[in-house]
Amino acid sequence: MGSREEIVAAAAKVMREQGYAHATTKAIAQAAGYSEALLYKHFKDKTEIFTSVLTERLPALGSTLDELMDTTGTPSDTPLATNLARLARITLSFYLESFPIAVSLFSSRELLATHRERVLSRDRGPDVPLVRVAEYLRKEARLGRIREDADLDAAASLLLGACFQYAFLASFEDREPSTEELDEWAERLAATLLVAVVS
């Protein structure tokens, strides 16, 4: 593992324990065993480290969506219900991992405004998963596996919102759901969404 990967791994650990607001670049560098100067050779600022943690260290929501977009409609495609359950499961894991990190962004309006400006300038805002899930559902609709008149933006919002709510409650209760619980909830979410977009 190179210094960049070690810094991202250390940042994920520090941000989980302290939240984004209190995870200073100095603390991240110390946890990684490097100087702050080396940290800035790899990253422009803490926002860039944060987005790297989201894309590289947390459950791979982005790559799962990439794979679904690439395989949907091909001979190796899987049933819509299976795809939706997989998407719900990875989304649950993503939010469970990222919620403790990101929640401290809301501790200060100034901090949130600064972070928002930097993230949006890099096209990495929190709306990206919503847009991508809706795109995936539209591809399924074009293949005839989802009703033409289904509101796919609302369906994407329902799926992500339900996963986020689950992560919020688990974090609030300081509870770590088991793999079995997450699998069951993902299947229930997928089944409910399936009724909404297919029936």
Side-chain angles (χ1 to χ4, degrees):
M1 186 185 295
S3 57
R4 185 189 183 283
E5 292 79 12
E6 290 174 339
I7 290 168
V8 174
K13 182 176 186 298
V14 172
M15 287 179 178
R16 277 194 197 99
E17 292 172 353
Q18 302 180 22
Y20 178 88
H22 300 291
T24 64
T25 52
K26 182 177 181 180
I28 293 168
Q30 285 177 341
Y34 294 108
S35 67
E36 267 190 284
L38 180 65
L39 186 147
Y40 284 111
K41 285 185 179 179
H42 291 290
F43 302 96
K44 180 180 177 182
D45 54 26
K46 191 168 77 169
T47 301
E48 190 172 328
I49 298 171
F50 174 72
T51 57
S52 296
V53 167
L54 292 183
T55 57
E56 298 170 30
R57 299 296 301 183
L58 299 186
L61 177 56
S63 61
T64 297
L65 283 164
D66 289 341
E67 188 180 333
L68 288 175
M69 289 294 284
D70 290 342
T71 59
T72 296
T74 68
S76 63
D77 193 7
T78 52
L80 175 60
T82 304
N83 284 345
L84 290 176
R86 181 181 174 204
L87 183 55
R89 180 63 174 82
I90 199 73
T91 303
L92 283 165
S93 295
F94 177 81
Y95 283 136
L96 282 165
E97 290 286 326
S98 63
F99 194 86
I101 296 173
V103 69
S104 66
L105 284 168
F106 294 86
S107 63
S108 158
R109 291 177 67 89
E110 183 180 349
L111 174 64
L112 179 60
T114 301
H115 181 76
R116 183 192 307 121
E117 181 182 325
R118 290 179 182 170
V119 168
L120 293 180
S121 71
R122 296 170 188 170
D123 296 323
R124 295 287 184 92
D127 61 321
V128 172
L130 182 62
V131 170
R132 303 249 1 255
V133 170
E135 285 173 357
Y136 160 67
L137 294 176
R138 285 189 182 90
K139 184 167 186 180
E140 292 282 15
R142 287 194 297 273
L143 293 168
R145 303 205 301 184
I146 288 177
R147 286 194 342 260
E148 287 183 11
D149 65 338
D151 187 337
L152 301 182
D153 291 319
S157 293
L158 287 170
L159 178 64
L160 295 181
C163 293
F164 186 87
Q165 175 71 7
Y166 187 95
F168 166 74
L169 289 174
S171 297
F172 178 78
E173 296 165 0
D174 196 21
R175 180 174 62 86
E176 189 170 335
S178 68
T179 299
E180 293 75 19
E181 285 179 88
L182 293 176
D183 289 344
E184 180 190 359
W185 189 239
E187 289 176 9
R188 289 173 62 190
L189 286 177
T192 302
L193 191 65
L194 199 62
V195 170
V197 298
V198 174
S199 301

